[in-house]
Amino acid sequence: GVCIISGLGFNGVDESGRVNWKGLANVKLRRLETAARFGHIIESFNVNTNAWAASYVYKRLKFMNNRMVSQISTLLFLALWHGFHSGYYLTFFNEFITMNVEREVLSMMDRSERMEKWMT
């Protein structure tokens, strides 16, 4: 509320002429509460920081031609940004492991005939 009242949340006017006050919105609450995957939780929380890290760290590491190295480097940068407490490194490492396991499990489920029969 204070950010909106002070004007810090002003994000311009959209195409229809409505004023947008979501400049400092950092949580997509509906997405967070209805998350079906771990990736949904990550994309719905700390939105501005994730967008910044994706634009200025992850995408700039494309020259390595390795998505996993780019992801590890970005998470390591975020852990360093938070400080030198071991909990940050453990949390970001667990995020990396969880996201990759989820990706592999979902791809196996998509290829599984047994899973396809069970879902229909």
Side-chain angles (χ1 to χ4, degrees), residues 73-88:
S73 301
T74 303
L75 292 171
L76 182 62
F77 171 80
L78 290 171
L80 284 167
W81 180 265
H82 280 85
F84 295 107
H85 301 286
S86 60
Y88 293 120

Side-chain angles (χ1 to χ4, degrees), residues 79-114:
L80 284 167
W81 180 265
H82 280 85
F84 295 107
H85 301 286
S86 60
Y88 293 120
Y89 297 92
L90 184 62
T91 299
F92 287 112
F93 176 73
N94 284 334
E95 177 183 327
F96 174 76
I97 296 296
T98 303
M99 289 298 296
N100 285 298
V101 168
E102 180 180 64
R103 186 180 308 122
E104 290 297 321
V105 168
L106 290 174
S107 71
M108 286 189 314
M109 287 173 58
D110 287 342
R111 293 188 309 252
S112 171
E113 292 176 20
R114 184 180 279 175

Side-chain angles (χ1 to χ4, degrees), residues 28-41:
K28 296 178 182 175
L29 194 57
R30 182 170 289 144
R31 181 68 161 175
L32 182 65
E33 293 293 331
T34 60
R37 299 179 180 168
F38 187 72
H40 296 164
I41 294 171

Side-chain angles (χ1 to χ4, degrees), residues 53 57-78 96 100 103:
V57 181
Y58 182 79
K59 288 181 182 177
R60 289 186 181 202
L61 297 174
K62 278 188 174 181
F63 70 91
M64 292 184 189
N65 292 327
N66 189 333
R67 184 178 180 187
M68 197 169 289
V69 172
S70 297
Q71 188 179 13
I72 289 171
S73 301
T74 303
L75 292 171
L76 182 62
F77 171 80
L78 290 171
F96 174 76
N100 285 298
R103 186 180 308 122

Side-chain angles (χ1 to χ4, degrees), residues 23 25-26 28 42-60 74 77-78:
N26 212 20
K28 296 178 182 175
I42 292 171
E43 74 184 28
S44 65
F45 185 74
N46 225 356
V47 175
N48 296 323
T49 304
N50 287 341
W52 185 89
S55 295
Y56 294 104
V57 181
Y58 182 79
K59 288 181 182 177
R60 289 186 181 202
T74 303
F77 171 80
L78 290 171

